[in-house]
Structures are given as structure tokens and as C-alpha cells.
Amino acid sequence: MMPIKSEGRQKIQMARMEKASNLLVTFSKRRCGLFIYASEFSILCGVEIAIIVFFSGKKVFSFGHHQYVEMIVDSFFTKKQSC
Amino acid sequence: MMPIKSEGRQKIQMARMEKASNLLVTFSKRRCGLFIYASEFSILCGVEIAIIVFFSGKKVFSFGHHQYVEMIVDSFFTKKQSC
DNA sequence: TTATCTATTATTAGTCC
DNA sequence: TGGACTAATAATAGATA
């Protein structure tokens, strides 16, 4: 079979993604993207950054090690993940 | 005088920027970039995001409207700015 | 500090595994 | 869920105003 050639990055509308499968993929990619971006920002400019992402009201993903963030994240008793 | 033509985006080392003037410009740009990225992520994936940036131990920039973030930011009694 | 400009780098949508 | 792929989009370093 001929492999399907990628058409590369596509322009998307700035609205909630409708297809659940696409949304989940984009969620994973952009969560990593956000944390990587924050990490670079932190290194380049010597700033402390705390990020909390609330997904579906269940999952919590955190970035940074600020005491307040830890407090908040812990208070949710949810699984923590990071990039 | 001939205008100096831009050489476009340059590759930079992933380390704290040494020149204070460059650091400040990059700080402003990337703070906006971070918040814009977070805003897009939030819209695309329907997630709530809270971000706090601590700069020089003085300035606090926040993104998101989560109650805990407001609480934390307020506790610093510092000027709030955003993009 | 912030906005504009531009060539260049960085990210990623869609897809398959 | 997570990694690889690839062309296209998006962000931005450095200079300037």
C-alpha cells in the first residue's frame, strides 16, 4: 500500500475541538507543549512559574514546585502527571 | 541610511539570559506568549488553567480565574498584570 | 516596557503504529 | 494513551521606534 503522505500542520479554528479523539491527542500534545514552554521561559528569564491544569474536573496536571501549588494539587487527591 | 535588514529569529542557548535588557524584552514577550498559549489550550480542549509567574520575587502575573489562584495572588499584595 | 518588522526557528494537526 | 512523521502554521530574536 502507498503510505498516506502527511499534509503537515493544519490551521484550526479557535474553538473547542469537537472530535473527542482529536481533543485527547491535542490535549496531550499541548499540555506537554505548555510545560515545555514554561520550562524554557523559567530558564531563560529566571522566573518561577506555577501551572495547574484542570481537565474534566478530575485530572490535575501541575508544573513547578511552588509550595502553594503543591498544597492546591494535593488538596485534589488526584493523580499527578507531568511531561 | 540603509535600514538594517532583520535576520529573523535567532537560535538561542537554553540558559539564563545575561544581558538584562534582552532578558526584560524576552520576559515580556514570553509572558504574553505563555498566556496566549494557555488561552488557546484552554479554548481548544475545554480545560481550566491557572498560571502564576513570580518575577524577581516581586512581580506576580496571573492567568486564569480559579479561586485558589486568586487567593494566592491576593496573598502577595502585589500588582497584577496580564496580557 | 511595549509594538512593529522579518527571516528563521519551533511547534504541531492529522495520521499511523 | 504515547511516539514518529512531515509539511504547514505559529512564535520569536534581534533590531528599531
Side-chain angles (χ1 to χ4, degrees):
Chain A
M1 296 263 287
M2 285 284 289
I4 295 172
K5 208 177 185 186
S6 168
E7 289 181 14
R9 180 174 186 173
Q10 300 297 299
K11 195 167 191 173
I12 58 169
Q13 282 218 314
M14 197 44 56
R16 192 176 206 279
M17 302 188 85
E18 294 185 7
K19 282 187 69 177
S21 55
N22 278 4
L23 191 150
L24 283 173
V25 171
T26 294
F27 173 76
S28 287
K29 288 182 178 179
R30 290 205 176 230
R31 173 170 53 80
C32 289
L34 181 68
F35 289 175
I36 289 168
Y37 190 102
S39 172
E40 291 195 357
F41 183 24
S42 175
I43 292 169
L44 288 173
C45 300
V47 296
E48 274 193 87
I49 306 175
I51 301 181
I52 314 172
V53 178
F54 303 89
F55 187 42
S56 299
K58 295 176 193 170
K59 293 177 187 173
V60 175
F61 305 88
S62 67
F63 172 84
H65 307 288
H66 200 277
Q67 55 174 331
Y68 289 105
V69 174
E70 291 304 312
M71 186 184 76
I72 291 170
V73 173
D74 288 345
S75 77
F76 276 85
F77 300 110
T78 47
K79 182 161 146 273
K80 285 186 278 183
Q81 285 182 244
S82 60
C83 262
Chain B
M1 296 264 288
M2 285 284 290
I4 295 172
K5 210 176 183 186
S6 168
E7 289 181 13
R9 179 175 184 171
Q10 301 296 299
K11 194 167 191 174
I12 57 169
Q13 281 218 314
M14 198 43 56
R16 193 177 205 277
M17 304 188 86
E18 294 184 8
K19 280 187 70 177
S21 56
N22 279 4
L23 191 151
L24 284 173
V25 171
T26 295
F27 172 76
S28 286
K29 286 182 177 178
R30 290 204 175 231
R31 173 170 53 80
C32 288
L34 180 68
F35 290 174
I36 289 168
Y37 190 102
S39 172
E40 290 195 358
F41 183 25
S42 175
I43 292 169
L44 288 172
C45 299
V47 296
E48 273 191 89
I49 306 175
I51 301 180
I52 314 172
V53 178
F54 303 88
F55 187 43
S56 300
K58 294 177 193 169
K59 294 180 186 172
V60 175
F61 304 89
S62 67
F63 172 84
H65 308 287
H66 200 277
Q67 53 175 333
Y68 290 105
V69 174
E70 291 302 313
M71 187 183 72
I72 291 171
V73 173
D74 288 346
S75 76
F76 276 85
F77 300 111
T78 47
K79 182 161 146 272
K80 286 185 278 183
Q81 285 183 245
S82 60
C83 265

